[in-house]
Amino acid sequence: KPKTASAEEPWARWLAREDKVSCVAITGGTHGNERNGVYLGRRFAELKGPAGKLGPHGYSFELKVLESNPASVEANLRYTEEDMNRCFFLKDLQDASHTKLYEHRRAKEIDSELGPKSSLTPKCDFIFDLHNTTAATGVALMTHPRDTFAHELYAHLHKTDPSVRLVFWANAEAPMLPSVGRSGMTFEVGPVPWGCLHAGQYLQSERLLHEALKYLDCHNRSGPTAERCKTPITAFKSGAKVPYPRGPDGQLAGMIHPNLQGQDFVKISASTPVFTLFDGREQTLAEAVKGEVPAGDIIPFFVNEAAYYEKDIAFMLAVTVSLEPEVLVNVS
């Protein structure tokens, strides 16, 4: 276990190669209308239990499974009062008075069961949080840019399924549910409409989760000196959030350009048309961001995500970064 964490970043206590994984959690229904995540979580709930032969899964760690936001699942809504996947800032979890809304209270319950986020030794070592998106992301695994243990796991999963992508959260405290544990990642899988199930995306996610659990078990059984190989991977570093075009009255003045729709993780440039305005004109990326175009390859993602209309995010931009984590050679 980590011996220390900085006073500025007490939540920064990610798993290291020498750490044993004692407890893994799978959470679904953080957003209640993302039904693949809800039902995939319920599927894995059949395997939850203690480590080893005492549990139904046979892994060398305890497996917990939670339905994160049961009220929103029941209502088939993203959330009841506030987006719960923004409710896991440490200051909010530690504020005893921060309980006005349902999601505030539920986030504290999850922190108590899987964390606490303030602890060097939370109850859960690794958390997989299962989400869907209406955007055409495929399977995008999102994690912290300094969580090298999660990067290693991703590199293995990418070898088994090259379509999977790695996306970094901002290099700061994450308010997402997986941050309660030591390490973790969000499965963002799409396109899947709200309130619907998508069999292909469900089955792909199920295979990846089983493979991830197998890798974590192999990590425990192999130990830190097991043979590993450097594995080159590409990650997408989150950057600017591009807002929708709006008129003087604040109402939408346009929509995602048809050539951008469904093109998540496909490179664009400053001159690429990204919006079709209602008056028939086109707006380029450079015009949309008022000339503040990132250097290097520009990658859009979460294009036309339905939940982001309320946040005024038409899509997000990323740049690519190269990594070379060392990955276990023999995983069986």
Side-chain angles (χ1 to χ4, degrees), residues 123-143:
K123 298 179 183 69
C124 191
D125 293 310
F126 202 102
I127 300 176
F128 299 96
D129 192 27
L130 308 181
H131 289 252
N132 303 134
T133 169
T134 61
T137 58
V139 176
L141 305 180
M142 306 190 71
T143 190

Side-chain angles (χ1 to χ4, degrees), residues 40-269:
L40 190 55
R42 291 176 180 177
R43 173 67 172 168
F44 275 88
E46 299 172 11
L47 300 178
K48 68 180 180 181
K53 295 180 180 179
L54 295 176
H57 50 74
Y59 293 123
S60 56
F61 46 77
E62 179 185 4
L63 180 64
K64 292 176 175 282
V65 181
L66 298 183
E67 195 148 286
S68 316
N69 194 336
S72 71
V73 171
E74 178 67 23
N76 195 23
L77 296 171
R78 179 176 173 86
Y79 55 84
T80 62
E81 296 181 289
E82 185 173 316
D83 188 339
M84 198 171 76
N85 212 30
R86 305 297 184 271
C87 289
F88 292 93
F89 280 118
L90 182 57
K91 64 177 179 61
D92 294 333
L93 295 172
Q94 293 183 317
D95 183 352
S97 67
H98 191 71
T99 56
K100 179 180 178 181
L101 304 181
Y102 169 79
E103 277 80 11
H104 298 168
R105 300 188 294 274
R106 182 61 182 149
K108 283 178 164 57
E109 293 171 357
I110 292 170
D111 185 55
S112 176
E113 184 161 355
L114 302 182
K117 187 172 182 174
S118 59
S119 173
L120 290 174
T121 56
K123 298 179 183 69
C124 191
D125 293 310
F126 202 102
I127 300 176
F128 299 96
D129 192 27
L130 308 181
H131 289 252
N132 303 134
T133 169
T134 61
T137 58
V139 176
L141 305 180
M142 306 190 71
T143 190
H144 199 282
R146 285 181 275 154
D147 188 350
T148 57
F149 191 87
H151 306 168
E152 174 190 331
L153 175 58
Y154 164 78
H156 171 72
L157 295 177
H158 186 258
K159 288 199 296 185
T160 67
D161 184 345
S163 72
V164 179
R165 298 179 175 95
L166 178 64
V167 180
F168 287 159
W169 298 323
N171 189 18
E173 182 189 359
M176 292 78 171
L177 191 156
S179 67
V180 168
R182 287 191 62 189
S183 289
M185 57 177 58
T186 300
F187 271 58
E188 284 287 359
V189 182
V192 182
W194 283 353
C196 296
L197 287 155
H198 186 294
Q201 304 273 25
Y202 177 102
L203 294 172
Q204 183 184 16
S205 300
E206 183 180 36
R207 289 192 297 270
L208 287 165
L209 272 173
H210 278 299
E211 189 65 31
L213 295 175
K214 183 171 75 173
Y215 188 88
L216 295 177
D217 184 58
C218 189
H219 164 85
N220 281 350
R221 291 185 288 103
S222 301
T225 61
E227 183 182 4
R228 296 168 183 266
C229 64
K230 290 185 176 181
T231 304
I233 58 173
T234 297
F236 298 91
K237 179 183 176 183
S238 300
K241 300 176 177 68
V242 180
Y244 283 95
R246 295 186 179 273
D249 58 358
Q251 296 299 309
L252 285 176
M255 51 198 159
I256 294 292
H257 194 281
N259 292 343
L260 183 62
Q261 181 65 44
Q263 297 300 301
D264 296 68
F265 299 108
V266 177
K267 185 170 67 172
I268 61 176
S269 69

